[in-house]
Amino acid sequence: MKILMVSDLSPPVVVGGIENYILNLSKKLIEQGHEVHWLTSKLPDTKSEEVYEGIKIHRVNIPFSDYYSFPGRQLFSITSLIKGIKLARSMDVIHVNTLVPGFLGWVIAKYSGKPSILFCHEFYGSLWNKIGQNILEKYLYPIFEKLSSISPYDLYACPSEYSKQTLIKYGVPSDKITVIKHGLDHDTISPNKNTKNYRETYHITGPTFGYLGRLGIKGTGQAKNVLGLLEAAKYVIQEMPEAKLILGGKGFSDLKKYIEDLGIEGNTIYIENIAREDTSSFLKTCDVVVCPALSDGFCFLLAEASATGVPVIGTNLGSHPERIHDNGMLVNSNPKDIADSILRILRNPEMGKEFGKNGIKFTNDLNWEDSSKEHLKIYERLTHK
């Protein structure tokens, strides 16, 4: 089977949750003998055509690609149409991913005569009023989400029951939606993976709590609520002065001023350039991993920390209740409440160990083998239809 993946961003420049999903799913599909193509934006220092991890990547130009933000990124839906239609004519299935290509991706399928599926990672809805980068995004993106939901895709899929409910609220019939949980690479994400000793390298002592992911607080980065975590860190450090906040990911420069204003710079450690194979080593540097996000379609951070055997804390928003059961704690997004939960685990190491053991068991069924099989069922259903 030949599958065309469509998303506005891709590796090696960007590897976020959506890109991680497409990359790992595609690799597993290729292992099973299928051919995967990926239509995406051409960003600086990338080739128009290349094979990456076995995936045939096709890139189209977008305006203002140096920043891949408004309005260039949004125009991918238009600049990709002609090349997309030409590519799609030789494919069996068109697999479009939200958000940017979602409201026009169906055009590629329609004019190539191929069946299509929209994978909805998450819709922000009214949250756009807070996280939109400008007035146009605050008002246009909710419209894009609505247009994506009413577009004539043959089927829809999403990674959580939470995302399914957001689709249903936008009017998508529930019988057209399939929930397919993301997988984890258990060879890379494992309690037995010890590629680096970050505690030794960064001279880290005392109890630690941490976060790995998008650190930038501009635009959609606000949805990760990292500033809320910094405020929680201040409360934690006031009660436990020896505690350290460990941060990893891109966008740390956005946080420096806030860290200084909160007076926690002496207790904050930033670890940059964390390779994928070092993820578990970073997570194990933390006695507890915290995801303060205001919305999450799946949350790889909570899943990967649990699979590594680290206790987790998440807000009771988005899909977090689906990622946390007896492997950690759910709290509201209030910084003081987040801090209280962090302190509770740091002060009770045995509780943390129990959460960690439960997390390993809880995430055993998250694997790309099963996820790819569920995707193939949908692809086969589409091609038979």
Side-chain angles (χ1 to χ4, degrees), residues 189-358:
I189 307 299
S190 163
N192 302 317
K193 198 75 173 178
N194 296 298
T195 54
K196 288 191 175 181
N197 188 336
Y198 286 115
R199 279 187 176 266
E200 183 178 290
T201 302
Y202 287 82
H203 309 291
I204 301 171
T205 58
T208 57
F209 58 104
Y211 169 86
L212 174 63
R214 194 189 315 168
L215 297 174
I217 55 173
K218 299 174 182 177
T220 55
Q222 295 179 63
K224 296 302 180 184
N225 192 30
V226 179
L227 291 184
L229 176 59
L230 296 184
E231 291 181 39
K234 181 176 181 178
Y235 289 120
V236 172
I237 292 163
Q238 286 173 345
E239 293 289 324
M240 189 179 284
E242 70 276 22
K244 303 292 191 305
L245 169 62
I246 315 296
L247 297 174
K250 293 184 178 180
F252 181 71
S253 59
D254 288 359
L255 304 180
K256 288 182 178 179
K257 178 182 181 299
Y258 297 92
I259 291 172
E260 291 172 1
D261 289 346
L262 289 167
I264 59 173
E265 62 269 30
N267 295 74
T268 302
I269 297 169
Y270 172 55
I271 300 176
E272 58 184 332
N273 300 324
I274 300 168
R276 184 64 186 158
E277 60 269 21
D278 299 326
T279 299
S280 285
S281 294
F282 173 89
L283 295 172
K284 286 193 290 186
T285 305
C286 308
D287 294 314
V288 57
V289 166
V290 187
C291 185
L294 304 177
S295 176
D296 250 319
F298 179 79
C299 195
F300 277 109
L301 175 59
L302 292 177
E304 291 178 348
S306 295
T308 303
V310 180
V312 294
I313 294 172
T315 55
N316 52 9
L317 301 168
S319 64
H320 290 181
E322 298 174 54
R323 300 282 79 78
I324 299 178
H325 288 268
D326 56 358
N327 54 325
M329 300 175 67
L330 283 167
V331 298
N332 63 48
S333 58
N334 181 284
K336 183 64 168 62
D337 291 334
I338 294 174
D340 288 342
S341 297
I342 294 170
L343 286 166
R344 186 178 174 190
I345 292 178
L346 293 183
R347 287 168 172 164
N348 295 275
E350 290 305 315
M351 175 194 291
K353 287 180 182 178
E354 190 65 24
F355 282 154
K357 290 178 183 178
N358 294 337

